[in-house]
Amino acid sequence: MIILEYKQHFQNELSELYTESESTFLYSIFIEHFLGLDAFNQRRLSDQELLIDDENKLQKVISELKTNKPYQHILGETEFYGMKFFVDKNVLIPRPETEELLEIAIKKIHNSQFTIQKLRILDIGTGSGVIPLVLKKHFPEAEVSSIDFSEKALEVAKRNAAFHQLKINFIHGDYLNSELTDYYDIIISNPPYIGMEEEIEIEDSVKGFEPTMALFSPTSDALIFYRKIAEDSKKHLKENGLLFLEINQKLGPETLNLYQDSFSEVELIKDLSENDRFVIGVK
């Protein structure tokens, strides 16, 4: 079967789950992954015969996609902030909102009064390591530490750090039940913030394949991580230190309120979809 014919087969097989444009996007990704053909060459070589081995690989992809498995987990990797990251079932697939958080953070750090070479940064809830690694790439002389409760998530994060040849101080620990001992210029976090009562609203492709502990608050208090970060910021964030948080869009004012007493400046910022998404502060 030639590439063009298999594209139609791919779309037909997935028509009940994906729109034509979605299946076209997915097909293009996997053709590039398996055959090394970018979008231009997929069109130019559309009459090229697929090898039986490649057809079998693509058929396996179709079967996995039909289970709602995220395509990033099938690939074992994803692109984020212009960088490749390995992902699997033990970490969240990084979202565009987190790219927005990093854009804000990088700009504000550059515009701050800090001596960039001496920056000490703490990331809380590292997952695949996208936040600390993007920051380390942009501020290579900064000392970046990152904590996570999941040993398996840290294995993925360490693999990503090794791939990008970036040094991060990864810490395995239960943040909610431990005390910080160091002091930082910047604290940044995208912690679990979905309330337990919101589980019904979450897509099966997320609930079924991404780690629950990284999605949902571990208690009935959806703000538990933010309360702990607020307390730690009082003691362990240096004067004029910066805070960057990704938050639950339904709890913007409530999250903001936790930081108003201990920060000289703090604001609630919307994401590109006009949802309350970030709390940014200057101590």
Side-chain angles (χ1 to χ4, degrees):
M1 190 179 294
I2 64 173
I3 288 177
L4 186 61
E5 291 172 337
Y6 203 91
K7 179 180 179 181
Q8 187 61 55
H9 169 72
F10 191 93
Q11 292 173 329
N12 290 340
E13 286 285 301
L14 297 170
S15 60
E16 293 184 9
L17 282 175
Y18 298 98
T19 65
E20 184 176 337
S21 61
E22 289 171 337
S23 60
T24 297
F25 167 76
L26 291 170
Y27 181 74
S28 181
I29 284 176
F30 285 104
I31 285 290
E32 182 166 3
H33 183 73
F34 291 130
L35 277 67
L37 301 177
D38 59 20
F40 170 73
N41 281 305
Q42 288 176 36
R43 292 191 298 271
R44 187 173 70 85
L45 302 173
S46 61
D47 59 349
Q48 176 177 301
E49 284 283 340
L50 280 173
L51 298 175
I52 296 298
D53 185 51
D54 290 326
E55 282 194 33
N56 291 337
K57 290 176 182 176
L58 288 166
Q59 195 58 45
K60 184 181 178 184
V61 165
I62 290 172
S63 298
E64 290 186 286
L65 287 171
K66 284 182 176 180
T67 69
N68 282 314
K69 187 174 184 177
Y71 76 86
Q72 296 96 330
H73 282 175
I74 299 173
L75 288 172
E77 62 188 51
T78 191
E79 184 176 312
F80 178 88
Y81 219 93
M83 299 166 66
K84 185 175 92 170
F85 288 94
F86 301 110
V87 292
D88 63 21
K89 64 181 181 180
N90 299 298
V91 298
L92 289 184
I93 297 165
R95 269 54 173 190
E97 292 84 0
T98 307
E99 289 184 314
E100 291 182 55
L101 176 70
L102 282 163
E103 286 178 10
I104 294 168
I106 290 166
K107 182 177 180 180
K108 285 192 174 291
I109 293 168
H110 275 303
N111 291 338
S112 72
Q113 302 302 310
F114 290 126
T115 301
I116 299 298
Q117 290 79 3
K118 297 181 179 180
L119 276 179
R120 302 194 76 231
I121 301 172
L122 176 64
D123 165 54
I124 298 166
T126 191
S128 61
V130 293
I131 288 177
L133 288 168
V134 168
L135 290 177
K136 183 67 173 177
K137 182 178 180 181
H138 283 79
F139 305 102
E141 296 189 32
E143 180 184 322
V144 183
S145 297
S146 196
I147 186 170
D148 203 288
F149 182 68
S150 169
E151 289 185 272
K152 290 184 177 180
L154 286 173
E155 288 175 8
V156 177
K158 289 175 182 177
R159 183 186 178 197
N160 283 320
F163 177 76
H164 290 289
Q165 298 183 314
L166 295 171
K167 183 181 178 182
I168 305 292
N169 175 31
F170 289 114
I171 303 165
H172 175 236
D174 180 359
Y175 173 70
L176 289 177
N177 295 296
S178 61
E179 295 298 325
L180 297 180
T181 57
D182 291 325
Y183 299 89
Y184 301 94
D185 301 295
I186 294 155
I187 292 178
I188 185 167
S189 183
N190 175 24
Y193 58 65
I194 301 174
M196 292 177 174
E197 73 283 355
E198 297 179 69
E199 183 175 358
I200 193 172
E201 302 173 24
I202 306 302
E203 295 178 2
D204 290 340
S205 60
V206 175
K207 288 188 293 187
F209 295 94
E210 298 190 66
T212 300
M213 74 166 64
L215 288 167
F216 298 98
S217 168
T219 73
S220 58
D221 179 11
L223 294 177
I224 188 170
F225 275 94
Y226 300 96
R227 298 187 200 282
K228 176 76 159 59
I229 293 170
E231 288 304 309
D232 283 343
S233 295
K234 292 177 184 178
K235 303 174 186 177
H236 296 277
L237 186 63
K238 297 177 185 178
E239 198 68 25
N240 297 315
L242 300 176
L243 176 76
F244 303 99
L245 301 173
E246 186 171 330
I247 69 166
N248 187 325
Q249 67 188 57
K250 297 181 179 180
L251 299 171
E254 294 89 339
T255 309
L256 180 69
N257 188 54
L258 297 174
Y259 298 89
Q260 288 180 321
D261 292 340
S262 53
F263 282 78
S264 60
E265 301 174 28
V266 65
E267 59 182 320
L268 179 62
I269 298 177
K270 294 184 183 296
D271 60 23
L272 293 177
S273 300
E274 290 298 308
N275 296 312
D276 289 340
R277 183 63 65 193
F278 314 108
V279 167
I280 310 299
V282 181
K283 191 171 179 184

